Amino acid sequence: MESHPPPAGTAAGARMACVFVYGTLKRGQPNHKVLRDRMNGCAAFRGRGRTLEPYPLVIAGEHNIPHLLNLPGQGQRVAGEIYAVDERMLSFLDEFEGCPDMYQRTPVRVAVLEWEGARGAPEDTPAADGTLQCFVYSTATYSPEWVHLPHHADYDSQGEHGLRYNPRENR
């Protein structure tokens, strides 16, 4: 994964990983608060992007959870946000996302649409072609019928799809 300078307040020399979020972790969505909670580690917004390859982004299950099915080449190019996270946040996200059972942390190439990340060494910015390698929480463990659900290009928990996300604290 791409290396990034640590956000302010992070130990110098801390390795940062790039994570692409497409669902309830995005700004303005129900679980974004966990990225902002310093008890979980450090996460710094770097920009917005879209998966280079199409993927099926579906809303499924009794709690209307967004799932990026690990089926590259199917679905749509999915919009999301890019964060630089430290090891502590990455470990937290693995647990939060039920990795490796519910989601798997996999590499994905993201076309950067908007970049607010720090500029510095070449590895701190998108490649010359405007892409960045990030981790994404996708799933290869899903019900077969999910492939046939509507595919979304951009997730919003209050979207026109009418499938309201049921937050963890309400389950």
Side-chain angles (χ1 to χ4, degrees):
M1 294 307 94
E2 309 282 336
S3 169
H4 294 278
T10 304
R15 268 191 68 74
M16 303 298 288
C18 181
V19 175
F20 179 74
V21 300
Y22 57 83
T24 64
L25 290 172
K26 293 190 307 185
R27 293 179 297 182
Q29 298 303 311
N31 291 324
H32 180 70
K33 61 187 174 276
V34 304
L35 288 176
R36 298 176 53 108
D37 187 341
R38 301 287 291 192
M39 295 296 289
N40 300 331
C42 295
F45 177 79
R46 293 295 191 227
R48 291 183 323 101
R50 192 173 292 280
T51 58
L52 203 53
E53 288 190 82
Y55 286 86
L57 172 57
V58 301
I59 302 169
E62 66 177 309
H63 302 296
N64 295 321
I65 297 171
H67 297 271
L68 188 74
L69 306 185
N70 194 359
L71 295 170
Q74 298 183 34
Q76 300 185 49
R77 292 182 63 214
V78 176
E81 297 173 349
I82 302 161
Y83 288 84
V85 302
D86 65 5
E87 279 297 323
R88 186 168 164 189
M89 179 62 77
L90 196 59
S91 293
F92 170 83
L93 290 173
D94 283 352
E95 186 176 322
F96 185 81
E97 296 291 5
C99 187
D101 301 323
M102 184 169 170
Y103 291 95
Q104 297 78 47
R105 179 171 25 112
T106 57
V108 66
R109 200 96 194 136
V110 174
V112 177
L113 303 174
E114 191 178 288
W115 188 251
E116 294 181 11
R119 304 247 179 234
E123 68 272 11
D124 297 338
T125 58
D129 65 358
T131 65
L132 195 62
Q133 184 88 357
C134 298
F135 284 125
V136 69
Y137 290 91
S138 63
T139 186
T141 52
Y142 50 87
S143 299
E145 61 270 12
W146 288 9
V147 175
H148 305 292
L149 293 172
H151 298 171
H152 303 272
D154 196 357
Y155 175 79
D156 182 342
S157 63
Q158 300 294 315
E160 292 180 10
H161 49 73
L163 300 169
R164 297 295 171 254
Y165 173 75
N166 184 21
R168 292 169 184 232
E169 55 270 17
N170 296 344
R171 298 181 202 165

